[in-house]
Amino acid sequence: MSTPQLVVHHDKELMAQAAAARLITKIVDAQASRGSASVVLTGGRNGNGLLAALADAPARDAVDWARLDLWWGDERFLPEGDPERNVTQAREALLDAVPLDPKRVHAMPASDGPYGTDVEAAAEAYAEELARAAGPENHGSVPTFDVLMLGVGPDTHVASLFPELPAVRETERTVVGVRGAPKPPPTRVTLTLPAIRAAREVWLLAAGEDKANAAAIALSGAGEIQAPAAGARGRARTLWLLDTAAASQLPRSLYPPASP
C-alpha cells in the first residue's frame, strides 16, 4: 500500500474547489487511457462540498459523464429518497445536473428496496454487483477504482467503519452491514478495508477543527482497528486533503511548507 501524502489548503472552500479540479483531471485521464473511469463517492459535509464545487467548476464538461461509473463507500440504510441518504445528497449536489448513464450509477440498496430491512442481504447484493463489475485485470472481487474518496470522522471513522466495531476487522468480505453504529442512523452498509484498498488512489477529506485530532491520530502510526482512517490506503496513492484547521495538530514535517 502507498504511503500517505498530504495537501493542506487554507480553508474548506478552497479544499473543495481544488479537490474537484483534481478529480476532473483524474477522470479525464482515466477515460483517455482506458475509455472509462470509476469513482467511489463519499457523503458528509466534505464529500458533498466537493460535489457542489465540481458542479460549479468550469471544467466539469471535460468529463464524459456517460463513461463514468459511480459507486459509494457507504450508505445510511434508510428508505429510497430519504434526505439523509448519501445518494440523495449527491444527486442534489451534482448528479442530477450532469448526463450520467443511470446504469453506471451504483447506489447502495435502500431499506425499502428488494431486500427490505435485511441489511446483511443488501450488503451481499452490493458485493455481488461489485464482483460483476470486476474484470480479470482487477485485484479480486471489486473493480480497481480510479479514485475512492472518504470523509474522516472526528472519531477517525471512514465510510461506516467505526473504531473497534466488527466491520473494521473484516478481512474477507468487500461489503458488510453495520448495526449499532455510534453515529445515527445506526444501520448502514459499508465497503470494508479490503475493498477500499483495491482503489488506485484513496483520497481522505478532512476540514474543520473537529477533524484535527482524528487526522493527527490516523497519521501518527495508529492501528486501523483503533483508527480506521489509518488503514485506508490506495494501491498507487493515498492522499489526505485537509484545510489548515484540520491540519492544525499535525507536525509541519508531515507536509511541505509550500503546501497550497
Side-chain angles (χ1 to χ4, degrees):
M1 293 186 295
S2 56
T3 300
Q5 299 174 303
L6 279 70
V7 179
V8 181
H9 296 278
H10 179 68
D11 55 40
K12 64 181 181 181
E13 288 79 15
L14 285 175
M15 186 189 88
Q17 292 165 8
R22 188 184 295 270
L23 183 60
I24 289 170
T25 299
K26 285 294 175 185
I27 294 171
V28 170
D29 287 349
Q31 290 178 336
S33 62
R34 292 186 302 279
S36 63
S38 179
V39 172
V40 180
L41 301 181
T42 184
R45 68 174 188 245
N46 292 318
N48 291 322
L50 186 155
L51 294 182
L54 206 164
D56 291 337
R60 83 174 198 190
D61 292 337
V63 172
D64 185 341
W65 295 100
R67 292 191 292 131
L68 176 65
D69 281 284
L70 293 179
W71 303 87
W72 271 263
D74 74 322
E75 186 57 276
R76 289 87 180 256
F77 198 52
L78 297 167
E80 184 68 35
D82 189 289
E84 291 299 308
R85 276 176 60 82
N86 290 332
V87 66
T88 306
Q89 297 172 7
R91 291 187 187 285
E92 293 174 354
L94 171 68
L95 307 191
D96 286 346
V98 292
L100 293 159
D101 179 350
K103 295 179 181 178
R104 301 182 81 159
V105 178
H106 308 276
M108 287 181 164
S111 63
D112 59 350
Y115 313 102
T117 57
D118 188 343
V119 69
E120 285 80 15
E124 184 176 346
Y126 204 67
E128 291 171 355
E129 187 172 356
L130 284 165
R132 287 193 297 271
E137 74 281 5
N138 298 134
H139 301 274
S141 55
V142 295
T144 303
F145 312 114
D146 292 294
V147 176
L148 184 148
M149 295 182 288
L150 297 166
V152 179
D155 61 354
T156 73
H157 85 265
V158 290
S160 286
L161 302 175
F162 293 90
E164 305 284 356
L165 293 190
V168 77
R169 301 176 184 271
E170 180 63 47
T171 60
E172 299 296 330
R173 292 177 293 172
T174 58
V175 189
V176 295
V178 175
R179 296 183 185 273
K183 179 182 179 181
T187 307
R188 296 156 173 256
V189 178
T190 186
L191 298 189
T192 61
L193 287 176
I196 289 169
R197 291 169 180 160
R200 289 185 177 87
E201 297 198 10
V202 169
W203 298 0
L204 296 105
L205 313 175
E209 291 182 9
D210 61 328
K211 306 298 179 70
N213 188 54
I217 291 171
L219 288 163
S220 68
E224 62 196 41
I225 305 301
Q226 296 76 29
R233 304 283 186 94
R235 290 184 174 274
R237 194 178 198 193
T238 303
L239 192 63
W240 280 73
L241 302 173
L242 306 144
D243 71 352
T244 52
S248 61
Q249 295 185 28
L250 297 174
R252 288 292 302 185
S253 60
L254 280 181
Y255 57 95
S259 185

